[in-house]
Amino acid sequence: EIPGQEINLFGVYSDPKRDRRKHSVSVVFQMEIPSHLTPTPGDDATSIQLVPLSDIENIPLFVDHRTILRDYVKIQNRNRLSKTRLNPSEVPPVPYTGDEESFKRSVCAPNRDE
């Protein structure tokens, strides 16, 4: 938690097929981290690696974390496009189901108050 920073629910990833080891649920939150702060790992990670979103296709990621990051990029692109003068039919829909993945997930609609 960072005082003064807004934390937003991004999505819930809970399909039993997302992790072959066991059924688990990931509740994903999103927030902006000020550039002067350095994230530190908690009890669920031994390290943190900051990478550009443009590199997510080229690095190994756990289970469906690439899917979560792809969803994040899609939502950010959709938000950016929805603020332009595009015809509403040209703005891509919010992703609610898998791309090529065999599992489904739920992604929260973007906050329209921004």
Side-chain angles (χ1 to χ4, degrees), residues 3-51:
Q5 295 293 0
E6 185 176 314
I7 299 174
N8 300 300
L9 175 64
F10 177 74
V12 177
Y13 295 73
S14 64
D15 190 290
K17 296 177 187 173
R18 66 182 288 267
D19 188 343
R20 287 184 284 198
R21 299 170 305 159
K22 63 180 178 176
H23 184 194
S24 62
V25 176
S26 287
V27 180
V28 182
F29 294 90
Q30 179 271 328
M31 72 178 294
E32 296 292 323
I33 299 174
S35 60
H36 68 280
L37 296 178
T38 303
T40 55
D43 62 355
D44 63 339
T46 57
S47 65
I48 293 176
Q49 179 182 2
L50 300 177
V51 296

Side-chain angles (χ1 to χ4, degrees), residues 51-61 65-66 69-70 73:
V51 296
L53 288 173
S54 59
D55 289 353
I56 62 172
E57 300 300 329
N58 304 317
I59 58 174
L61 294 171
H65 292 179
R66 182 173 287 109
L69 291 170
R70 284 177 183 158
V73 169

Side-chain angles (χ1 to χ4, degrees), residues 67 71 74 95-105:
T67 297
D71 288 349
K74 287 177 190 176
Y96 282 102
T97 60
D99 296 319
E100 68 277 355
E101 292 88 353
S102 61
F103 53 85
K104 305 293 182 202
R105 74 263 193 191

Side-chain angles (χ1 to χ4, degrees), residues 53-114:
L53 288 173
S54 59
D55 289 353
I56 62 172
E57 300 300 329
N58 304 317
I59 58 174
L61 294 171
F62 182 70
V63 187
D64 63 348
H65 292 179
R66 182 173 287 109
T67 297
I68 294 168
L69 291 170
R70 284 177 183 158
D71 288 349
Y72 176 79
V73 169
K74 287 177 190 176
I75 292 289
Q76 293 305 308
N77 289 339
R78 184 180 193 285
N79 286 345
R80 193 170 25 263
L81 286 174
S82 67
K83 292 177 183 175
T84 67
R85 295 179 184 233
L86 285 178
N87 179 320
S89 66
E90 295 178 88
V91 177
V94 175
Y96 282 102
T97 60
D99 296 319
E100 68 277 355
E101 292 88 353
S102 61
F103 53 85
K104 305 293 182 202
R105 74 263 193 191
S106 172
V107 177
C108 297
N111 184 350
R112 294 291 179 198
D113 297 333
E114 296 178 354

